[in-house]
Amino acid sequence: MRKKRFVYLPIDYHEAIERLEQLAQLAQRESQEENCYPYPITEREQILIRLYSYWELGMTPQRFYQKWDLTREDMALICSCSVQTVNGWFNTSRRCYPPTAGHLRHLAIMDFLLEDFETIPKPLLERLFSKGELSM
């Protein structure tokens, strides 16, 4: 039997946040059994997926480079691409390709981490960084 999914329609941010707060209050009253996989897709998850789908998170390489004192090699590492690709973003030639939405998202997330690292709760940081070994 096919799973019923929701239709992707534009979503009002304020209405979505308000509804998520209501759902959080209801969830506090109802304790769900943990480790029940796969997790069901409830109204809460549907709202979060829609918010994320329309989220235009991005920062241009030029803006990131102006804000942070780093090398293009650092930017390539952040964006998981080559230095030549990063150099192309700053080249005025018509032959170069612009950064992808993925590159812009990497830069925006890194900007957020550099700005707000200390305000992120430790358990969340552990979830973010415990997936792989960090080597310096």
Side-chain angles (χ1 to χ4, degrees):
M1 186 171 157
R2 248 180 108 200
K3 290 183 179 179
K4 183 181 176 187
R5 293 292 180 204
F6 51 94
V7 178
Y8 291 93
L9 298 172
I11 186 167
D12 180 85
Y13 171 79
H14 297 291
E15 287 178 16
I17 296 301
E18 187 175 298
R19 182 62 182 145
L20 287 170
E21 289 171 354
Q22 292 171 356
L23 291 170
Q25 290 172 358
L26 290 173
Q28 287 176 351
R29 293 184 206 134
E30 304 169 358
S31 68
Q32 291 185 352
E33 187 178 315
E34 290 191 32
N35 298 328
C36 177
Y37 298 110
Y39 291 131
I41 299 297
T42 65
E43 182 183 1
R44 172 189 176 269
E45 286 77 26
Q46 290 176 3
I47 292 170
L48 289 169
I49 290 168
R50 287 177 56 205
L51 280 172
Y52 180 81
S53 298
Y54 291 99
W55 191 20
E56 294 184 22
L57 178 65
M59 184 175 206
T60 66
Q62 291 78 7
R63 190 163 147 231
F64 190 85
Y65 196 68
Q66 288 172 349
K67 185 172 180 178
W68 300 103
D69 185 22
L70 59 110
T71 66
R72 291 185 182 183
E73 288 81 8
D74 295 328
M75 194 177 289
L77 182 64
I78 292 165
C79 294
S80 300
C81 64
S82 69
V83 177
Q84 291 80 10
T85 298
V86 172
N87 287 335
W89 299 337
F90 294 93
N91 190 339
T92 57
S93 168
R94 291 190 314 166
R95 292 179 49 195
C96 293
Y97 294 100
T100 65
H103 295 130
L104 300 177
R105 186 170 295 196
H106 279 298
L107 293 174
I109 292 170
M110 190 71 241
D111 178 63
F112 169 76
L113 287 173
L114 292 170
E115 282 274 346
D116 299 305
F117 180 79
E118 290 76 17
T119 64
I120 301 171
K122 188 174 180 181
L124 179 57
L125 286 173
E126 289 171 357
R127 282 185 61 198
L128 290 173
F129 295 118
S130 68
K131 299 295 181 194
E133 293 295 319
L134 295 177
S135 58
M136 297 297 227

